Amino acid sequence: QGITRTHVLDCFGHRENMVSEHSRFLTERPSSVFPAGVFLIPYLLIVIVGGIPIFFLEIALGQFMKAGSINVWNIAPLFKGLGFASMVIVFFCNTYYIMVLAWGFYYLIKSFSSTLPWSTCDNEWNTPSCIEIFHHQDCKNGSLANTTVGNSNMTCADLADARSPIIEFWEHKVLNISSGLDEPGKLNWELMLCLMAVWVLVYFCVWKGVKSTGKIVYFTATFPYVVLIILLVRGVTLPGAYDGIMYYIKPDWSKLEEAQVWIDAGTQIFFSYAIGLGALTALGSYNRFNNDCYKDAFVLALINSGTSFFAGFVVFSILGFMAAEQGVDISQVAESGPGLAFIAYPKAVSLMPVAPLWAALFFFMLLLLGLDSQFVGVEGFVTGILDLIPGKHYHRYKREIAVAICCLLCFIIDLSMVTQGGMYVFQLFDYYSASGMTLLWQAFWECIVVAWVYGADRFMDDVARMIGYRPFPWMKWCWSFITPCVCIGIFLFHLVNYKPLTYNNVYVYPWWGEVIGWCLALSSMLCIPTTVLYKLFRARGTFKERWAHLTSPVWGAHHLEYMAPDVKALSPLSPGTDDNKVIIFESVM
């Protein structure tokens, strides 16, 4: 249960002969209502039966088909709606996730001051309830209720309603949040400029493709580990850190009976592994045809989950300190959601010597991690769009133009998220458009199409052709039976246990806000059945003939190049004869 969703991307070269590797870690989902220890059990189980098998499936599919998120489903053209669905999801994800970068960039700018603005209570945005240090030790005697605490004008009785300057900076200065979704308020010009700056940065990092992006992420993917280790060392030395870490790793077995724990674990895995977004297939398409993607999938999954687990110690050591300082339970220190990254971590850096320096380093790290995520999302979306453009419509700058249009369109939508009601819009996108339901639905159909329409054994043969050996049969069993059952089971649990969206467990979204949210979710989920019905009705012949025609793979030119050598064992015919050409052609078809 990390803090902010990020990727590690390592890809260099161009599609036909280069390698890409991709991972995602430090993910944030709203599941902190449960003790983290019990969360790790379903988390690890779903990693084994769902996360890794689909992670490998998407990378291998992209590598085999050498296409983006839409054309990769030429393996079964009837279900090309899977590609359109993933494009819708990743577009929404690109749109709202950039706000994490904008907030991080805003904090980075504010870090360049002698005193961090979120460490004191003497700012214009602070309220009378703000207190820098909670002196709970002075109030242990119940008879001292009216005693003044520390240097403040607050009494012991007032401590229950006291607020940290970090929380007030986030809510009153950064967000300047309104009372609800129906009050958008005015634009925050500072945030809008930060948003514009990060979109320009993303554009110039992505416009030349993965060849340039891959070089950039050598630094952006490794530097954060250094900062995390430093923050961990500082975090575990704080009073209360032990309680926070024990809260993180000690399971409450009774919680395993609650469906919500399993729902949160499933949605966490699918979201953090970037499953269903089309980004994995797009990046996999840049691999060499013979790249060992099977080994890569396990290595990247281990790095992904391992980093999330490691980051949890950093987070909960700080939350434990904050809970001890405020005299409350850890679950009450900070509400789950997007703001947690901008509450727990700023608190940690404010407690370190030369705090502005560490704050600048941390938010620089956060910006780098966010950029990695955004690189992958924009790359996946643009790759899918460009694959739809026929080769005869060549334009020298078509990639640069496509990236510019994508960034500009997302920026226009993002303007709704830099208003006073922007956080409510952000949470609508986060909860519905790229949520667990949409990703679970997407992953379920991916398994069904590959395992039952194209054929699990057939795809295992294709993977063996690429990497030189057959993967362990567990993958085939997962694609065919286990993973679809897990996906649809968690999906149904999610629907049965559905609760209206709230912000900070206080503000309940109006009915029309939920309608907008469901429209965001259904805009991707309906792509699959709609495309299937449209293609079936447009085809000719009996239903059996239509099905046979629409589920026959459409092979690319590269399959001839890489699959043709196998025909040498079929016939000793000399190269160049007509019979040999026929054998090659038939084997590829």
Side-chain angles (χ1 to χ4, degrees):
Q1 300 178 0
I3 290 301
T4 180
R5 175 177 64 91
T6 56
H7 302 266
V8 177
L9 164 65
D10 177 15
C11 47
F12 34 96
H14 48 84
R15 175 169 297 181
E16 288 301 322
N17 56 8
M18 299 294 177
V19 183
S20 71
E21 296 178 356
H22 163 267
S23 182
R24 186 186 286 220
F25 59 86
L26 289 174
T27 58
E28 177 275 317
R29 300 302 294 167
S31 55
S32 65
V33 290
F34 300 105
V38 74
F39 185 82
L40 294 175
I41 298 169
Y43 178 91
L44 292 175
L45 284 175
I46 296 175
V47 163
I48 296 170
V49 302
I52 294 177
I54 305 180
F55 189 78
F56 170 57
L57 171 67
E58 292 196 1
I59 294 177
L61 193 60
Q63 182 173 313
F64 180 66
M65 295 301 293
K66 291 282 183 233
S69 55
I70 295 179
N71 283 350
V72 75
W73 293 106
N74 281 336
I75 198 168
L78 178 61
F79 294 91
K80 219 167 183 177
L82 277 165
F84 295 115
S86 66
M87 291 287 284
V88 173
I89 295 172
V90 79
F91 176 77
F92 286 146
C93 205
N94 291 341
T95 300
Y96 81 83
Y97 181 66
I98 195 76
M99 287 305 303
V100 176
L101 279 74
W103 293 327
F105 190 53
Y106 183 83
Y107 272 80
L108 177 62
I109 294 172
K110 294 295 182 180
S111 299
F112 293 102
S113 59
S114 58
T115 303
L116 294 176
W118 57 82
S119 62
T120 63
C121 287
D122 53 1
N123 304 287
E124 60 180 354
W125 58 81
N126 292 123
T127 66
S129 301
C130 180
I131 185 171
E132 295 176 20
I133 301 175
F134 292 76
H135 295 270
H136 284 282
Q137 67 276 8
D138 298 337
C139 300
K140 291 183 179 178
N141 189 338
S143 63
L144 302 177
N146 296 319
T147 303
T148 302
V149 177
N151 297 323
S152 68
N153 295 322
M154 300 180 68
T155 64
C156 291
D158 296 330
L159 278 185
D161 299 321
R163 291 171 64 82
S164 166
I166 294 175
I167 296 177
E168 291 206 341
F169 177 79
W170 167 246
E171 293 186 350
H172 299 159
K173 175 61 177 174
V174 181
L175 299 180
N176 193 16
I177 193 165
S178 66
S179 61
L181 185 64
D182 54 345
E183 294 183 23
K186 58 185 179 181
L187 279 174
N188 185 328
W189 292 100
E190 290 180 326
L191 265 186
M192 191 188 76
L193 291 175
C194 290
L195 177 67
M196 185 183 300
V198 291
W199 266 123
V200 170
L201 190 59
V202 167
Y203 173 76
F204 283 106
C205 288
V206 176
W207 70 325
K208 290 298 183 183
V210 295
K211 191 170 185 178
S212 59
T213 309
K215 296 174 183 177
I216 296 168
V217 297
Y218 279 121
F219 174 71
T220 62
T222 54
F223 175 72
Y225 284 96
V226 177
V227 179
L228 278 176
I229 291 171
I230 294 170
L231 290 176
L232 177 63
V233 172
R234 177 54 178 157
V236 296
T237 59
L238 295 170
Y242 176 78
D243 294 331
I245 291 174
M246 291 308 296
Y247 181 86
Y248 177 50
I249 62 176
K250 187 178 180 180
D252 179 359
W253 301 106
S254 64
K255 294 291 183 181
L256 287 177
E257 300 174 0
E258 299 184 22
Q260 191 63 37
V261 176
W262 296 88
I263 293 170
D264 288 334
T267 55
Q268 172 85 357
I269 291 296
F270 285 84
F271 191 79
S272 66
Y273 277 44
I275 289 170
L277 300 180
L280 291 176
T281 53
L283 294 177
S285 69
Y286 291 93
N287 281 345
R288 296 187 310 270
F289 189 79
N290 300 115
N291 177 64
D292 193 348
C293 54
Y294 183 60
K295 180 185 70 176
D296 288 349
F298 280 94
V299 171
L300 291 172
L302 180 64
I303 294 172
N304 186 329
S305 296
T307 307
S308 293
F309 184 66
F310 170 71
F313 286 95
V314 182
V315 176
F316 279 88
S317 63
I318 298 164
L319 292 180
F321 166 74
M322 294 177 70
E325 182 190 44
Q326 298 176 24
V328 298
D329 188 74
I330 296 173
S331 62
Q332 300 173 5
V333 172
E335 299 292 347
S336 63
L340 190 54
F342 300 99
I343 294 173
Y345 282 130
K347 179 66 176 180
V349 296
S350 68
L351 298 170
M352 302 182 77
V354 199
L357 172 63
W358 291 110
L361 282 175
F362 169 74
F363 287 109
F364 180 59
M365 176 202 77
L366 189 69
L367 187 63
L368 296 182
L369 291 175
L371 284 172
D372 286 344
S373 294
Q374 204 69 17
F375 292 163
V376 172
V378 174
E379 178 65 44
F381 182 78
V382 172
T383 300
I385 293 295
L386 293 179
D387 281 349
L388 293 177
I389 302 175
K392 62 182 180 180
H393 297 297
Y394 174 78
H395 190 282
R396 182 179 178 182
Y397 299 107
K398 70 176 183 179
R399 179 182 178 83
E400 288 84 346
I401 294 172
V403 175
I405 293 173
C406 172
C407 293
L408 180 62
L409 186 58
C410 289
F411 173 76
I412 293 172
I413 299 174
D414 286 332
L415 291 178
S416 65
M417 301 183 198
V418 293
T419 62
Q420 290 177 280
M423 174 53 77
Y424 303 110
V425 179
F426 175 91
Q427 200 167 11
L428 264 184
F429 274 80
D430 182 51
Y431 190 77
Y432 289 101
S433 66
S435 69
M437 281 192 300
T438 55
L439 300 182
L440 289 165
W441 176 260
Q442 183 82 359
F444 169 78
W445 283 107
E446 286 180 5
C447 291
I448 294 297
V449 172
V450 171
W452 295 101
V453 179
Y454 181 75
D457 286 314
R458 188 180 179 187
F459 189 65
M460 290 284 277
D461 292 339
D462 295 333
V463 172
R465 185 185 296 273
M466 291 192 296
I467 66 177
Y469 60 92
R470 286 182 70 88
F472 187 66
W474 173 257
M475 289 294 175
K476 181 181 69 174
W477 301 335
C478 285
W479 297 337
S480 302
F481 306 105
I482 303 173
T483 305
C485 291
V486 169
C487 290
I488 201 66
I490 298 175
F491 178 82
L492 293 175
F493 267 138
H494 207 302
L495 287 180
V496 171
N497 292 273
Y498 173 78
K499 296 177 182 177
L501 180 60
T502 61
Y503 177 72
N504 275 358
N505 295 326
V506 176
Y507 173 74
V508 180
Y509 278 66
W511 67 268
W512 55 268
E514 288 198 66
V515 169
I516 294 173
W518 277 106
C519 288
L520 293 174
L522 292 174
S523 62
S524 62
M525 295 172 67
L526 291 179
C527 285
I528 302 168
T530 302
T531 306
V532 169
L533 293 175
Y534 174 78
K535 285 181 173 288
L536 283 173
F537 279 118
R538 287 293 300 268
R540 296 180 179 179
T542 63
F543 177 80
K544 187 176 181 180
E545 292 171 340
R546 298 180 190 188
W547 178 269
H549 171 67
L550 292 172
T551 55
S552 299
V554 178
W555 299 120
H558 70 281
H559 288 103
L560 177 63
E561 176 185 353
Y562 289 108
M563 300 168 100
D566 285 357
V567 303
K568 293 179 181 178
L570 299 178
S571 172
L573 295 175
S574 60
T577 64
D578 290 339
D579 290 337
N580 193 37
K581 292 178 181 177
V582 170
I583 292 174
I584 294 175
F585 179 78
E586 289 180 347
S587 68
V588 173
M589 291 301 292

